[in-house]
């Protein structure tokens, strides 16, 4: 007796639905993507009870005639691809022809649609995959789809739904993705009869992000430097958080490939590598990154929900992303440097022990300021008098020049206080020093190699065959990192020198750790990153201790050196080095402005 049977159509759709429709947010995703593919200018999404009781998507796109509307509910029916060649270069969000039949098979479903020119539209009602009604409908041009009681006929699935709140939040996140991917489309989101998002069509990505997340975030984003002539022939654009801007979750780490929001461990790793020392441990960057590449160079037909993609040349994509992020972060430095070009000597008393006036020729800045220093206590009586020119007046002059800054003093032996045009700047002298040392060592590592120091006693140790092979292959990189290691018989090595700045008590254990760490990085550029990690972990010990008192000139040098760094705003562990508190924020705090 034969045991193999063809599944009935409805059951087959429910099986497919298992992959495409995981939760209410997946329904919203598929429906909104259809609306986008249909050329909608405005999309309205309403949900009730986290989408569990109702989801409705209304668009003003091209609509369908009656035949197409009926066909759209068949499995594998799509207007978006026709041939295998089309599949190889997909330009639309949909192409599988699975979403509508899947959704309709696991819910109570109503579709009304009308083409722009048509006199009448069509209304189709489906329940659990069975078409119940087909009739003329009179809605506005476009398409409206209502999905009620999702999974009502699949109790096992229904049990997996989370709380209404969680499902709601998933839907909202999905809308954020779509709205970010398509700023030119207006979006409205209504949750339980309340409008929670109302986004007008935006002229630019920046405007859309401002509407979604507010001005404060936008002010801390950098425009991605466009990449030209890269081997992957990939265009990278968008906005990313400045160094030091990060989140505890990945919800604002958005990457779009040819307009499609995707999740990709490879790209996540590339973002991390691009940010590298600009990101605190366990934190995620903020990115609104768009990769546009030849549709033939990326396969979107990997995942039923189309969340993942496969690149033909993942390595060049990865490198292009790392490069774009790094250059963008470094470009942010120019703005800061603009603001901090010229230090102005202070116009108020600095404790004499902190202040050794520099020889004039060393100071291209100021003149008058020094002469206005309030006479110090050593000058006797005068110390009680107020100076003729009160610092504030000078400060106003400072503030009016956009390029100047002035060191005001040091708080708690740790924070350098400065004033610039925008207000108050606080610099963590320890973090700043770490950044300076880090970049200095990294430069040396890249140029002539890190200086190394001979061990008193060379040590030998054995490695597993694969590790041994790895060490032999990467001897040059290790040398650059200041590690002197050479073969010493079968799978054995001798280590006789380590970087001078390292303070290692057990060279062999240290070496095993380094090898483990480096091994997991697959190529040259990542090995460099790992060298950076090693430096970052060790410079901390050499950096100015938090409580080291610095003299005025030392502070000034620290600030100038910091501003020369590639990434001056954060220490090599991603913590901020400086914080700006604007005049506006101060005014707010003092209740001068609301
Ligand atoms: P796919 O999007 O993969 O083609 P779907 O099942 O999502 O498959 O949709 C099937 C077809 O129905 C689409 O190819 C499209 O022609 C049509 N369609 C779906 N939604 C809309 C819409 N909102 N407006 C116009 N046509 C639509
Ligand atoms: Mg679709």
């Amino acid at each position: 007796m034969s045991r193999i049977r063809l599944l009935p159509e409805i059951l087959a759709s429910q099986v497919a639905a298992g992959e495409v429709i995981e939760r209410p947010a997946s329904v919203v995703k598929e429906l909104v993507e259809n609306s986008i593919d249909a050329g909608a200018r405005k999309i309205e999404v309403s949900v009730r009870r986290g989408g569990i009781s109702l989801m409705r998507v209304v668009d003003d796109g091209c609509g369908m005639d009656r035949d197409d509307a009926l066909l759209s509910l068949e499995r594998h029916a799509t207007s978006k691809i026709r041939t295998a060649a089309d599949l190889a270069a997909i330009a639309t969000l949909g192409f599988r022809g699975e979403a509508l039949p899947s959704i309709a098979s696991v819910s109570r479903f109503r579709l009304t649609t009308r083409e722009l020119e048509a006199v009448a539209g069509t209304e189709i009602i489906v329940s659990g995959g069975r078409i119940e009604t087909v009739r003329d409908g009179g809605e506005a041009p476009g398409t409206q789809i209502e999905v009620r009681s999702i999974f009502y006929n699949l109790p096992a699935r229904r049990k997996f739904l989370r709380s209404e709140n969680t499902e709601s939040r998933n839907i909202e996140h999905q809308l954020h993705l779509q709205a970010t991917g398509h700023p030119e489309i207006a979006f409205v989101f209504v949750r339980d009869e309340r409008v929670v998002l109302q986004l007008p069509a935006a002229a630019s990505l920046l405007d859309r992000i401002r509407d979604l997340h507010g001005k404060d975030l936008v002010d801390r984003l950098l425009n991605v430097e466009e990449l030209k002539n890269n081997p992957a022939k990939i265009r990278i654009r968008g906005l990313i958080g400045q160094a030091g801007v990060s989140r505890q979750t990945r919800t604002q780490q958005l990457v779009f490939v040819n307009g499609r929001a995707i999740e990709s461990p490879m790209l996540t790793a590339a973002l991390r590598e691009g940010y590298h020392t600009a990101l605190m441990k366990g934190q995620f960057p903020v990115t609104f990154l768009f990769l546009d590449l030849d549709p033939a160079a990326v396969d979107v037909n990997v995942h039923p929900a189309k969340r993942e993609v496969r690149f033909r040349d993942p390595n060049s994509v990865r490198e292009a992303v790392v490069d774009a992020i790094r250059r963008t972060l470094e470009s942010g430095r120019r703005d800061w440097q603009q603001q901090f070009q010229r230090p102005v000597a202070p116009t108020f008393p600095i404790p004499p022990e902190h202040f050794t006036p520099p020889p004039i020729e060393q100071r291209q800045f100021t003149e008058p300021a020094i002469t206005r220093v309030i006479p110090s206590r050593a000058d006797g009586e005068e110390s009680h008098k107020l100076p003729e020119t009160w610092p504030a007046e000078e400060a106003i002059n400072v503030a009016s020049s956009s390029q100047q800054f002035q060191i005001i003093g040091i708080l708690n032996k740790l924070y350098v206080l400065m004033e610039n045009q925008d207000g108050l700047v606080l610099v963590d002298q320890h973090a700043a020093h770490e950044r300076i040392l880090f970049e200095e060592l990294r430069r040396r590592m890249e140029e002539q190699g890190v200086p190394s120091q001979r061990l008193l006693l060379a040590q030998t140790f054995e490695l597993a065959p694969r590790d041994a092979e790895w060490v032999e292959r990467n001897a040059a990189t290790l040398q650059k990192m200041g590690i002197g290691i050479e073969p010493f018989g079968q799978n054995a090595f001798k280590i006789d020198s380590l970087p001078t700045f390292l303070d290692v008590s057990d060279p062999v254990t240290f070496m095993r750790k380094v090898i483990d760490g480096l091994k997991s990085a697959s190529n040259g550029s990542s090995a460099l990153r790992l060298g950076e990690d090693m430096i970052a972990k060790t410079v901390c010990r050499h950096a100015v201790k938090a409580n080291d008192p610095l003299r005025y000139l030392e502070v000034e040098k620290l600030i100038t050196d910091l501003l020369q760094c590639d990434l001056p705003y954060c220490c090599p562990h991603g913590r901020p080095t400086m914080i700006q508190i604007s005049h506006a924020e101060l005014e707010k705090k003092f209740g001068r402005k609301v």
Side-chain angles (χ1 to χ4, degrees):
M1 194 185 76
S2 75
R3 287 174 302 156
I4 301 179
R5 240 165 250 139
L6 221 49
L7 292 181
E9 196 50 38
I10 291 180
L11 189 54
S13 288
Q14 289 173 344
V15 171
E19 293 182 309
V20 191
I21 308 301
E22 266 178 87
R23 49 178 7 101
S26 353
V27 172
V28 169
K29 171 181 190 283
E30 293 295 335
L31 296 182
V32 169
E33 287 188 349
N34 280 346
S35 299
I36 294 171
D37 282 343
R41 312 311 313 158
K42 181 176 181 190
I43 301 174
E44 213 178 304
V45 178
S46 333
V47 304
R48 234 178 268 151
R49 301 192 42 219
I52 298 166
S53 87
L54 168 76
M55 291 172 270
R56 183 193 298 125
V57 175
V58 183
D59 71 48
D60 60 356
C62 64
M64 290 176 269
D65 65 17
R66 178 172 289 205
D67 288 347
D68 274 356
L70 281 165
L71 210 53
S72 75
L73 297 168
E74 301 277 340
R75 279 204 318 135
H76 311 305
T78 178
S79 57
K80 300 171 193 175
I81 55 170
R82 277 165 200 273
T83 64
D86 295 342
L87 184 61
I90 287 163
T92 48
L93 294 168
F95 61 89
R96 300 171 61 98
E98 272 187 334
L100 292 190
S102 298
I103 297 168
S105 73
V106 297
S107 68
R108 303 186 199 280
F109 180 98
R110 176 171 171 268
L111 160 79
T112 56
T113 183
R114 187 178 137 198
E115 290 179 303
L116 186 59
E117 307 291 317
V119 268
T122 306
E123 176 181 4
I124 302 176
I125 296 174
V126 187
S127 227
R130 248 174 279 277
I131 295 186
E132 294 188 335
T133 310
V134 181
R135 62 181 168 220
D136 281 355
E139 309 276 351
T143 301
Q144 167 170 344
I145 290 177
E146 272 177 19
V147 177
R148 287 171 200 272
S149 317
I150 178 110
F151 300 141
Y152 80 97
N153 51 349
L154 291 183
R157 219 39 204 286
R158 219 181 147 81
K159 271 195 219 128
F160 278 97
L161 291 176
R162 307 270 219 86
S163 72
E164 288 173 18
N165 225 329
T166 309
E167 297 296 354
S168 237
R169 242 177 292 132
N170 282 327
I171 292 174
E172 197 168 345
H173 178 66
Q174 188 50 238
L175 284 172
H176 273 223
L177 292 179
Q178 306 286 0
T180 308
H182 297 274
E184 73 285 357
I185 301 177
F187 282 87
V188 180
F189 179 42
V190 180
R191 186 174 65 208
D192 297 311
E193 325 300 334
R194 275 188 39 227
V195 178
V196 287
L197 263 186
Q198 185 145 33
L199 302 166
S204 68
L205 175 66
L206 190 85
D207 290 342
R208 176 53 51 93
I209 292 174
R210 189 185 297 109
D211 289 343
L212 276 170
H213 305 285
K215 182 177 174 302
D216 282 356
L217 179 67
V218 167
D219 285 347
R220 300 163 68 199
L221 296 177
L222 299 168
N223 220 330
V224 171
E225 301 253 298
E226 261 207 50
L227 204 63
K228 293 192 186 88
N229 299 331
N230 59 85
K233 292 218 181 63
I234 177 174
R235 182 170 167 239
I236 302 184
R237 62 195 167 88
L239 296 155
I240 62 169
Q242 295 170 352
V245 176
S246 62
R247 297 283 179 268
Q248 262 152 9
T249 68
R250 223 182 280 168
T251 47
Q252 282 186 358
Q253 182 188 303
L254 275 46
V255 182
F256 297 81
V257 173
N258 290 349
R260 187 189 304 277
I262 59 137
E263 288 166 16
S264 152
M266 183 276 275
L267 288 176
T268 299
L271 296 179
R272 290 207 84 82
E273 191 179 335
Y275 268 87
H276 197 61
T277 63
L279 204 60
M280 270 188 263
K281 232 190 173 144
Q283 293 280 86
F284 296 93
V286 174
T287 64
F288 305 96
L289 201 65
F290 290 76
L291 316 189
D292 299 312
L293 61 172
D294 178 1
V298 40
D299 187 359
V300 290
N301 190 19
V302 179
H303 190 282
K306 296 161 289 185
R307 269 197 309 258
E308 289 162 23
V309 296
R310 204 177 286 137
F311 295 102
R312 198 168 58 194
D313 183 1
N315 259 338
S316 349
V317 173
R318 195 190 121 267
E319 268 159 39
V321 170
V322 174
D323 196 40
I325 300 280
R326 188 158 338 136
R327 289 199 304 163
T328 305
L329 290 177
E330 291 180 6
S331 76
R333 168 179 66 152
R334 285 196 289 267
D335 298 349
W336 271 94
Q337 281 182 335
Q338 280 300 315
Q339 291 175 28
F340 291 97
Q341 262 176 7
R342 284 188 288 151
V344 172
T347 51
F348 56 89
I350 293 177
E353 66 272 21
H354 270 274
F355 190 73
T356 329
I360 291 297
E361 61 277 13
Q362 269 186 29
R363 300 183 285 120
Q364 308 98 341
F365 47 95
T366 93
E367 311 231 295
I370 288 294
T371 59
R372 294 212 186 120
V373 168
I374 305 177
S376 71
R377 229 148 271 207
D379 295 339
E381 284 212 324
E382 280 195 291
S383 63
H384 299 289
K385 275 196 223 152
L386 287 176
E388 280 173 27
T389 339
W390 188 246
E393 198 178 297
E394 197 68 26
I396 289 163
N397 290 335
V398 168
S400 67
S401 159
S402 66
Q403 303 189 332
Q404 291 182 330
F405 67 96
Q406 184 177 46
I407 297 167
I408 308 173
I410 298 189
L411 181 70
N412 203 17
K413 293 192 200 147
L414 173 59
Y415 304 109
V416 181
L417 302 178
M418 309 200 293
E419 177 184 6
N420 70 352
Q421 189 192 26
D422 290 342
L424 181 67
V425 181
L426 290 136
V427 178
D428 178 327
Q429 66 178 42
H430 177 69
H433 194 201
E434 273 188 87
R435 167 54 68 180
I436 296 164
L437 277 179
F438 168 77
E439 293 205 1
E440 157 99 36
L441 282 172
R442 182 181 59 183
R443 206 177 23 114
R444 279 205 236 158
M445 180 176 77
E446 278 165 9
E447 286 168 5
Q448 71 263 33
V450 171
S452 68
Q453 194 170 30
R454 291 212 153 263
L455 297 176
L456 275 180
L457 287 174
Q459 304 210 16
T460 56
F461 60 108
E462 259 187 57
L463 286 173
R466 273 215 234 148
D467 289 356
E469 193 256 318
W470 185 91
V471 169
E472 275 159 25
R473 219 161 6 97
N474 291 282
T477 313
L478 292 170
Q479 212 72 44
K480 281 214 149 181
M481 286 163 56
I483 297 174
I485 186 166
E486 55 187 59
F488 198 72
Q490 180 83 356
N491 294 335
F493 293 88
K494 184 177 83 177
I495 172 164
D496 61 9
S497 53
L498 283 177
T500 37
F501 61 83
L502 269 184
D503 179 17
V504 173
S505 55
D506 180 0
V508 170
T509 315
F510 169 77
M511 257 337 284
R512 291 192 195 277
K513 267 198 208 133
V514 169
I515 291 165
D516 272 352
L518 290 180
K519 233 178 27 185
S520 52
S522 51
N523 59 52
S525 84
S526 291
L528 259 190
R529 285 302 82 131
L530 262 140
E532 287 187 359
D533 269 346
M534 200 171 91
I535 296 172
K537 281 200 193 100
T538 49
V539 284
C540 206
R541 298 197 192 118
H542 288 245
V544 184
K545 299 279 173 348
N547 295 324
D548 288 352
L550 294 182
R551 301 171 79 82
Y552 172 76
L553 277 188
E554 291 174 316
V555 172
E556 196 184 277
K557 174 146 187 352
L558 187 79
I559 303 296
T560 345
D561 286 352
L562 178 65
L563 293 167
Q564 295 303 317
C565 286
D566 286 338
L567 276 187
Y569 341 92
C570 55
C571 80
H573 316 290
R575 285 192 298 276
T577 52
M578 38 186 166
I579 294 172
Q580 171 100 50
I581 301 174
S582 67
H583 288 303
E585 276 172 272
L586 289 171
E587 279 167 4
K588 228 184 190 167
K589 286 228 156 69
F590 282 108
R592 289 170 172 273
K593 251 192 211 154
V594 270

